[in-house]
Amino acid sequence: MEPNISFISSLIGDPTRSRMLTALMGGKALTATELALEAQVTAQTASSHLAKLVDGQLLIVRKQGRHKYFQLHRQDIAQLIEQLLNVTSSRNHPKTVTGPADPRLRNARVCYDHLAGKFSVALYDALTLNGHIADKGCETIITNQGRSFFSTLGVDFEAFSRNKRPLCKSCLDWSERRNHLAGSLGHWILEDLLAKKWATRDLDSRAISFTKRGKISFTKMYDIEDLPKTETSR
Amino acid sequence: MEPNISFISSLIGDPTRSRMLTALMGGKALTATELALEAQVTAQTASSHLAKLVDGQLLIVRKQGRHKYFQLHRQDIAQLIEQLLNVTSSRNHPKTVTGPADPRLRNARVCYDHLAGKFSVALYDALTLNGHIADKGCETIITNQGRSFFSTLGVDFEAFSRNKRPLCKSCLDWSERRNHLAGSLGHWILEDLLAKKWATRDLDSRAISFTKRGKISFTKMYDIEDLPKTETSR
DNA sequence: TCATTGCTTCGATGCGCACCGAACTATAGA
DNA sequence: TCTATAGTTCGGTGCGCATCGAAGCAATGA
């Protein structure tokens, strides 16, 4: 028998649940109340939705004291949501597309566990331009030069290769409709950014805010030429 | 604003509509009545569903005489469905997974526009083994050797490169849970098979039936060692 | 121990929508 | 012209489910 697509799709198909799922695309685990707020429903309603999402294995839950932390179940779920975002955004009516997007989200945001948005696309372009990665159209690979470049930055490729996750992977950006870097290398870059305090993760959203100094350092480190201006206005 | 995932998902989320969509994964355009049969609903019900799918831009429709032919809208929709199939099948209860699958579908079937199933996985393995393609874990690329190999078979890489579609791409097989070849090269292989009359497309399903001679030629052409036995029993 | 906060269960309400019967339009062929 | 087939529109039915109020557990902290 062919697997039954409709079950998972109908889980995502409810507006409230899909709001929860996109909120969780930030990669951070969120509590039930946070998700209720995000989805704009009462705690009771949220509870029943979350139970369904866990039951359908879209989310995993971890209990910590009197809190319950929810996360996307696995990488492939995040990929599915991302693909849905892509398909949807390219299909939107022209009117709504240009709608009032949060400028911070456009600049830099988290896409599950790696960077997305204008900054991320600029990074991808710079890495390509400098020959660190190669965009083969159908795939993105890391070059030998890129391998040594990232090694000096402290990337442990040995550890990555033990991991079954793809090292580098292109991921279509739904706001920019251009490629950006995903995979474990994309993950490393984001973690590195945050560890270096060049940028901070917003508490209330998927947005990533660069500090002034961080922006400069980031630009220098990856040799990015045309980093777009940060629109700091809310 | 983030695009609204739930709209598309809820379209796919209805069991009847999802049956129609999976039926269309065969790549062939189907008429409204065929889809009604496939989804096991009356013509009226099918009509309303199909209108919604077209309206939601999941399908395109072509009118021909008194027939209406429906097809998946674009490649990305097919990819989305495929990803859903993957996620769903890996999540199925062990009981239902081993359920009575149509053996013909397991052997060889169409995945939108390329080959899938056991045969396809065997092909992928053989191509890898012979160094025609290289599975880099995170991506699949065609080697120089593979390029010349396929050139002698009549592949016009020039024409492909003008196309924006990826040349070769791995696609996870939901029945085998292994990679098989997608992309325009995967498409070419399927078309070539059918053109050579080594295999025929079933009229009523996504299944692909190899002729005895075709199976031998296919095995020889791509140097496949361990092609699984064809289970001809229905 | 009691109060507070986080989350769940139960029950009731009401909307949305999948479904079909019946009647209608449109195309093809004779 | 008439007949058969393909597809649509309309109206009515009924189920499913998202929603919330109220009450109930559970864990923390004082």
Side-chain angles (χ1 to χ4, degrees):
Chain A
M1 273 301 298
E2 311 222 356
N4 184 14
I5 293 186
S6 60
F7 173 67
I8 286 204
S9 299
S10 66
L11 277 180
I12 310 178
D14 177 78
T16 303
R17 284 193 292 262
S18 74
R19 252 174 272 144
M20 291 173 162
L21 290 168
T22 23
L24 286 169
M25 280 297 282
K28 247 189 332 183
L30 299 176
T31 66
T33 0
E34 284 171 331
L35 286 166
L37 276 172
E38 195 75 41
Q40 300 164 38
V41 285
T42 60
Q44 309 93 291
T45 312
S47 175
S48 102
H49 283 304
L50 289 169
K52 281 175 197 184
L53 288 173
V54 170
D55 201 54
Q57 300 187 44
L58 291 184
L59 299 185
I60 45 171
V61 60
R62 202 163 17 112
K63 216 177 166 180
Q64 218 164 82
R66 51 181 174 181
H67 293 277
K68 266 189 159 181
Y69 286 94
F70 294 87
Q71 258 182 310
L72 294 185
H73 189 275
R74 272 173 165 277
Q75 199 64 31
D76 56 350
I77 298 296
Q79 270 171 37
L80 181 62
I81 309 275
E82 187 70 16
Q83 185 138 7
L84 273 166
L85 281 165
N86 281 328
V87 171
T88 312
S89 73
S90 65
R91 236 143 261 279
N92 261 344
H93 322 269
K95 285 183 286 182
T96 30
V97 151
T98 43
D102 186 340
R104 292 176 312 155
L105 274 186
R106 288 204 169 273
N107 273 325
R109 66 177 181 279
V110 171
C111 169
Y112 194 57
D113 71 348
H114 56 269
L115 204 60
K118 279 185 186 167
F119 279 34
S120 175
V121 169
L123 170 65
Y124 188 87
D125 289 346
L127 288 175
T128 310
L129 201 68
N130 296 325
H132 297 323
I133 60 174
D135 189 333
K136 297 276 186 182
C138 52
E139 72 240 337
T140 302
I141 59 170
I142 184 164
T143 62
N144 288 333
Q145 185 193 327
R147 212 168 260 272
S148 62
F149 172 72
F150 278 107
S151 290
T152 60
L153 294 183
V155 173
D156 181 7
F157 283 103
E158 276 299 314
F160 283 166
S161 63
R162 278 195 298 275
N163 204 329
K164 52 210 170 291
R165 192 175 167 202
L167 179 62
C168 69
K169 229 194 110 195
S170 63
C171 175
L172 197 65
D173 201 294
W174 59 258
S175 62
E176 299 295 308
R177 306 220 194 135
R178 299 266 316 277
N179 275 335
H180 64 236
L181 199 64
S184 35
L185 190 59
H187 178 53
W188 179 88
I189 291 176
L190 174 62
E191 288 302 319
D192 183 54
L193 267 180
L194 298 174
K196 289 204 171 82
K197 301 249 165 75
W198 289 356
T200 55
R201 192 182 278 210
D202 276 29
L203 289 177
D204 60 337
S205 84
R206 297 168 57 193
I208 292 277
S209 306
F210 275 74
T211 64
K212 258 188 194 147
R213 191 173 302 173
K215 208 178 131 181
I216 296 170
S217 308
F218 178 68
T219 315
K220 208 173 276 173
M221 174 160 164
Y222 292 111
D223 195 18
I224 301 171
E225 283 185 356
D226 50 349
L227 197 64
K229 279 202 176 164
T230 315
E231 313 172 39
T232 41
S233 64
R234 263 210 91 151
Chain B
M1 272 303 297
E2 310 223 355
N4 183 15
I5 292 186
S6 61
F7 174 67
I8 287 204
S9 299
S10 66
L11 277 179
I12 310 178
D14 177 77
T16 303
R17 283 194 292 263
S18 76
R19 254 174 270 145
M20 292 173 162
L21 290 169
T22 23
L24 286 168
M25 280 297 282
K28 246 190 334 186
L30 299 176
T31 66
T33 3
E34 285 171 330
L35 286 167
L37 276 172
E38 194 76 40
Q40 302 164 37
V41 286
T42 60
Q44 310 93 290
T45 311
S47 175
S48 102
H49 282 304
L50 289 169
K52 281 176 196 182
L53 288 172
V54 170
D55 201 54
Q57 300 187 46
L58 291 185
L59 299 185
I60 46 171
V61 60
R62 204 164 15 114
K63 215 178 168 179
Q64 217 164 82
R66 52 180 173 175
H67 293 277
K68 266 188 160 182
Y69 286 95
F70 294 88
Q71 260 181 309
L72 294 185
H73 190 275
R74 272 175 165 277
Q75 197 65 32
D76 55 351
I77 298 295
Q79 270 171 36
L80 181 61
I81 310 274
E82 187 70 15
Q83 184 137 11
L84 274 166
L85 282 166
N86 280 328
V87 171
T88 312
S89 73
S90 65
R91 237 142 260 278
N92 262 342
H93 321 269
K95 286 183 286 183
T96 31
V97 151
T98 43
D102 185 341
R104 293 177 310 156
L105 275 186
R106 286 204 170 272
N107 273 325
R109 65 176 181 279
V110 172
C111 170
Y112 194 59
D113 71 348
H114 57 269
L115 203 60
K118 280 186 184 166
F119 280 35
S120 175
V121 169
L123 170 65
Y124 188 86
D125 290 344
L127 288 175
T128 311
L129 202 67
N130 295 324
H132 297 324
I133 60 175
D135 188 333
K136 297 277 184 182
C138 53
E139 70 239 340
T140 303
I141 59 170
I142 184 163
T143 62
N144 288 332
Q145 185 193 326
R147 212 167 260 272
S148 61
F149 171 72
F150 278 108
S151 290
T152 60
L153 295 183
V155 172
D156 182 7
F157 284 102
E158 275 300 313
F160 283 165
S161 64
R162 278 195 296 277
N163 203 328
K164 54 211 168 290
R165 191 175 168 202
L167 178 61
C168 70
K169 228 193 110 197
S170 63
C171 174
L172 197 64
D173 202 294
W174 59 258
S175 63
E176 299 295 307
R177 307 221 195 134
R178 299 267 316 276
N179 274 335
H180 64 237
L181 199 64
S184 35
L185 190 57
H187 178 53
W188 179 88
I189 291 176
L190 174 63
E191 288 301 319
D192 183 53
L193 267 180
L194 298 174
K196 289 204 170 80
K197 302 250 166 74
W198 289 354
T200 55
R201 192 181 278 211
D202 277 29
L203 288 177
D204 60 337
S205 84
R206 296 167 59 192
I208 292 277
S209 306
F210 275 74
T211 65
K212 259 190 193 143
R213 190 172 303 172
K215 207 179 131 180
I216 297 170
S217 308
F218 177 68
T219 314
K220 208 173 278 174
M221 175 160 164
Y222 292 111
D223 195 17
I224 300 171
E225 282 185 357
D226 50 349
L227 196 63
K229 280 202 174 164
T230 316
E231 313 173 39
T232 41
S233 64
R234 264 211 89 151

